[in-house]
Amino acid sequence: MALAEAGARGRLLRWPRVLLFGDSITEYSFQENGWGAYLAERLVRKCDVVNRGISGYNTRWAKLVLPRLITESTSADSIVAVTIFFGANDSALKELNPKQHVPLEEYAANLKSMVQYLKSVDITADRIILITPPPLQESAWEKACLAKGDKLNRCNATTGQYAQACVQVARECGTDVLDLWTLMQKNQDFSSYLSDGLHLSTKGNSFVAAQLWSRLENKLSALPSLLPYWRDVDHTNPEASLL
């Protein structure tokens, strides 16, 4: 059978998608042992995990980008989950990092705006997970800043305010939330979760992966495996199994 004929006979295979939207902590999540790579491995043959992490971005910029990533007419119906993971840059101190800083009230409004946009393209609240920024280990991040000729431009207490705002937005919008800032600090020495005081270490990636999977597993467990297991393909008439 010619490929064109096979394509005409078979239904278009559309993999459902999980969209990871965030800053560098999301962008780096497909690195070795990253939390995004873990999700992709767990969901292979069930759905695609799409990394849309954009290093250095804040919610002011992200809310402008989101409608360019998802539109009702082209893609929203195939999305089974979306993570929105911002705040590490928004919470930068204004006087030391004015380019990335977003005021707390605007940060909350931007998150709410993104959730409302997703709802407007029929991505329901139960498919949205907000993720707070992780805690900041100030001495390690100060070291990283000094190496670049900068001063310490973030502090953990401020990051915590943004995390609380994220949790509040999730409560108001009816979405799930992963409060990393609080959960990671239940372990008194949370520095082991971070590679440089801000970004995730291998242990931090494992922690995020486990926490997210516990939220996604129930949402996605009913998804079927796409295409039959190879032993179940009729080798004498593969068209019957595969088209």
Side-chain angles (χ1 to χ4, degrees):
M1 181 184 293
L3 288 179
E5 185 184 347
R9 281 187 56 185
R11 289 171 290 117
L12 179 66
L13 275 172
R14 295 187 67 191
W15 258 243
R17 294 183 300 150
V18 174
L19 182 75
L20 311 180
F21 188 42
D23 53 34
S24 57
I25 302 175
T26 297
E27 182 175 324
Y28 301 161
S29 73
F30 271 34
Q31 293 179 348
E32 187 175 5
N33 299 315
W35 59 270
Y38 173 90
L39 294 178
E41 183 180 4
R42 294 301 294 263
L43 293 167
V44 70
R45 290 280 296 279
K46 288 180 176 284
C47 60
D48 287 335
V49 178
V50 181
N51 187 336
R52 292 294 179 263
I54 315 167
S55 179
Y57 273 51
N58 56 31
T59 56
R60 182 182 292 164
W61 305 342
K63 75 172 185 177
L64 301 177
V65 173
L66 184 59
R68 301 181 64 196
L69 299 179
I70 302 171
T71 64
E72 187 173 19
S73 61
T74 60
S75 58
D77 60 335
S78 68
I79 291 177
V80 291
V82 180
T83 60
I84 300 177
F85 191 177
F86 290 95
N89 297 316
D90 299 69
S91 60
L93 301 175
K94 181 179 181 180
E95 61 274 17
L96 293 171
N97 190 347
K99 184 164 187 175
Q100 290 178 300
H101 169 81
V102 171
L104 183 61
E105 296 76 13
E106 184 190 341
Y107 167 74
N110 291 341
L111 284 180
K112 192 174 293 187
S113 174
M114 286 190 274
V115 171
Q116 289 169 343
Y117 173 75
L118 291 175
K119 289 180 178 179
S120 78
V121 295
D122 295 329
I123 296 175
T124 50
D126 62 321
R127 286 185 275 165
I128 303 168
I129 302 175
L130 300 186
I131 307 177
T132 77
L136 182 83
Q137 214 290 319
E138 292 176 17
S139 59
W141 184 243
E142 183 174 30
K143 198 174 185 180
C145 291
L146 290 172
K148 299 175 186 174
D150 298 326
K151 295 179 181 178
L152 177 64
N153 55 22
R154 290 163 170 80
C155 74
N156 192 39
T158 301
T159 303
Q161 293 175 352
Y162 284 71
Q164 289 169 7
C166 180
V167 170
Q168 181 61 31
V169 169
R171 189 177 295 126
E172 292 172 2
C173 294
T175 72
D176 204 347
V177 65
L178 173 52
D179 183 1
L180 290 181
W181 192 85
T182 299
L183 288 170
M184 284 184 168
Q185 289 184 96
K186 286 185 176 178
N187 177 345
Q188 288 186 328
D189 181 18
F190 65 87
S191 62
S192 61
Y193 291 126
L194 304 167
S195 62
D196 57 3
L198 176 69
H199 300 96
L200 300 175
S201 64
T202 297
K203 182 178 178 182
N205 272 285
S206 295
F207 183 85
V208 173
Q211 292 290 331
L212 256 184
W213 183 245
S214 71
R215 288 159 171 78
L216 286 171
E217 188 173 15
N218 288 338
K219 300 177 193 292
L220 306 181
S221 59
L223 288 175
S225 286
L226 292 156
L227 295 172
Y229 180 55
W230 71 270
R231 290 188 187 276
D232 297 330
V233 175
D234 180 354
H235 69 282
T236 64
N237 182 20
E239 291 89 348
S241 303
L242 302 177
L243 294 180

